[in-house]
Amino acid sequence: MVVSVVYGGTPEERGPSEKNAKDIAEALKERGYSVQFLQFDKDIIKTLRAVSTDIVYLCVQGRGYGDGTFQGMLEVEGIPFTGSGMRAATLINDKILCKFLFDHYRINTPKWDILTKEQYESGEYDYHGFGFPFVAKAPTQGGSFGIELIKGPEDLPLIEKVFGFDDPILLESYIKGRFYTVGIYESGDGIVALPVVEGLDLDHQDEASLKEDRLITFTGTYGIKESNLDTELASQIRQMALQVFKITGARDLCRVDFMLSDDNIPYVLEINAVPGLKKYSLMPLAAMQSGIRYEDMIEDILLSAVKRR
């Protein structure tokens, strides 16, 4: 079987995408697969055909790549691939659309609103009515790109940076608490919901930064630690993650991120259809912590897509 591991993305996400793809390719080679390591470009379909691709391990990220664009190209060409299909990937990559879905299914998520650049420039939006502090997010960006914490009126000019990525943008109430994540993937034995783990921004673990309002950015070094949540709360978060996986139409893999407020209320932040899969990303770390080898998880995701084909 020829597996083409395809990476690429926006300028911000191309580097992380390539790192994910390299580790995935090495894991698959170790398992005996014939692997092609390819960068997405306008001739990618022709390249996939030229190397006799049986299936694509999809690692492309961001708008114009992993937001349903590449998935749609592959569906039209009839080339199997890992991960969510075009429709689900498009939905998942738009944080505003996901918010509507969360509200419809009564999944707890931070208070939110939509802001257009026209509203921002005219000064007509009622920020005080929405409430400070809040987070301004570019709805189609992954990672920590296009996101700013607005603590008060003096920070409103920071929103201009977010409009550099998208228009309209998402405003989301800031939840003070801790960041948790749940990785989900499909294997031959069914859906695997990894344990709830706490995500750690290791560049900001000093006592001073933990006390202040700040965003968990994961732009530097990061890690996880086993959650010390009680069994009932951890189970609630996992069930919320599984519900998000189901209602968005995700398949093969995803990662659902949460903030747990200081009074222990879980809020779904977002779902990622193409989560980081380099060996020491959040989801693989959670798998390894629960005794699942990295190579096993990577192969299970591939075999889930093969079985569907």
Side-chain angles (χ1 to χ4, degrees), residues 1-7 21-22 24-26 28-29 33-40 44 47-59:
M1 179 189 298
V2 177
V3 183
S4 288
V5 181
V6 182
Y7 70 93
K22 284 181 178 177
I24 290 168
E26 287 302 313
L28 294 176
K29 287 177 184 177
Y33 294 94
S34 175
V35 177
Q36 296 289 330
F37 188 70
L38 305 174
Q39 182 173 1
F40 180 95
I44 187 61
T47 304
L48 291 172
R49 297 291 191 197
V51 298
S52 302
T53 300
D54 291 305
I55 191 166
V56 169
Y57 211 115
L58 193 146
C59 298

Side-chain angles (χ1 to χ4, degrees), residues 176-239:
K176 185 173 177 57
R178 294 185 176 273
F179 175 88
Y180 290 88
T181 186
V182 179
I184 297 172
Y185 71 95
E186 297 186 70
S187 74
D189 297 324
I191 296 175
V192 177
L194 296 170
V196 180
V197 294
E198 183 177 352
L200 302 176
D201 185 352
L202 300 180
D203 289 337
H204 296 89
Q205 287 300 301
D206 57 283
E207 187 175 346
S209 68
L210 288 173
K211 288 181 179 178
E212 66 181 18
D213 289 343
R214 63 177 185 83
L215 290 171
I216 297 177
T217 58
F218 300 113
T219 54
T221 55
Y222 50 82
I224 63 166
K225 72 176 181 180
E226 188 174 353
S227 77
N228 58 358
L229 304 176
D230 66 62
T231 303
E232 184 177 347
L233 182 55
S235 176
Q236 179 189 357
I237 291 173
R238 289 179 82 200
Q239 288 305 312

Side-chain angles (χ1 to χ4, degrees), residues 107-110 175-180 229-230 233 236-237 240 257-269:
I107 296 172
N108 199 36
T109 190
I175 305 298
K176 185 173 177 57
R178 294 185 176 273
F179 175 88
Y180 290 88
L229 304 176
D230 66 62
L233 182 55
Q236 179 189 357
I237 291 173
M240 289 173 71
D257 296 337
F258 295 81
M259 285 299 293
L260 183 68
S261 67
D262 288 340
D263 53 353
N264 282 339
I265 298 174
Y267 294 83
V268 173
L269 295 180

Side-chain angles (χ1 to χ4, degrees), residues 120 134 136-137 146-165 169 215:
Y120 173 72
F134 63 85
K137 292 183 175 181
I147 179 169
E148 296 289 340
L149 175 59
I150 312 300
K151 297 181 181 180
E154 67 280 3
D155 292 328
L156 290 175
L158 295 174
I159 295 176
E160 184 71 34
K161 296 181 182 179
V162 184
F163 280 115
F165 293 92
I169 64 171
L215 290 171

